[in-house]
Amino acid sequence: MSPEYVTVTVRLVRSFEHRNFRPVVYHGVNLNQTVKEFAEFVKNDVALRTGLPPPFKRYSYDTMKIIHQAHGSKTNELVVSLEDDEKLILAEESTLQAAGVANETELAFFCMDDYRKYKVNPVATW
């Protein structure tokens, strides 16, 4: 299978309650790599990326979830939808393509413990 390269936006979610996130766009993402490989690449890139505040660089991201597909409907939730986790959270061993990532997909990258806490009490504090 020949590699397919796409553009993906990764929304780095630092805090669900405070709606604290930063989008980072990646061009030339190989859909044949595993979710784990891509997550490691993003973690390494974020740690070295200029222009990102230090709290985003040092955060313990461990989970990716599809937020939006090109030409699809968007959620009303400002940070990430709390629905369809079994469908939209990407399995580490899966390839990006098998997980449903395509050109112009937007992914959330966050800490699963924070996400679980937020799901129990999804209240935003400004």
Side-chain angles (χ1 to χ4, degrees), residues 7-125:
T7 298
V8 174
T9 300
V10 176
R11 184 181 290 184
L12 303 170
V13 181
R14 178 73 178 78
S15 168
F16 292 97
E17 296 84 5
H18 297 96
R19 295 190 172 133
N20 193 356
F21 62 88
R22 289 283 197 292
V24 180
V25 178
Y26 291 97
H27 301 283
V29 175
N30 182 348
L31 291 179
N32 293 326
Q33 69 184 309
T34 65
V35 172
K36 184 174 184 162
E37 289 168 338
F38 183 59
E40 285 302 315
F41 166 78
V42 172
K43 278 190 231 179
N44 292 334
D45 176 68
V46 164
L48 302 173
R49 189 172 275 260
T50 57
L52 270 180
F56 283 94
K57 293 181 177 193
R58 293 190 296 261
Y59 193 62
S60 56
Y61 306 103
D62 60 14
T63 305
M64 289 192 159
K65 180 175 179 178
I66 294 175
I67 300 175
H68 176 70
Q69 299 278 27
H71 314 296
S73 59
K74 280 199 169 188
T75 176
N76 289 333
E77 185 65 39
L78 290 178
V79 178
V80 65
S81 164
L82 302 177
E83 308 296 317
D84 297 326
D85 286 350
E86 56 285 335
K87 245 185 5 187
L88 299 177
I89 289 182
L90 308 185
E92 279 192 337
E93 66 281 353
S94 177
T95 65
L96 292 174
Q97 190 162 35
V101 176
N103 193 39
E104 297 183 16
T105 295
E106 190 169 346
L107 299 172
F109 198 23
F110 52 87
C111 173
M112 181 53 94
D113 287 343
D114 291 352
Y115 180 72
R116 285 189 188 112
K117 288 176 196 159
Y118 183 68
K119 273 189 86 159
V120 170
N121 184 25
V123 177
T125 55

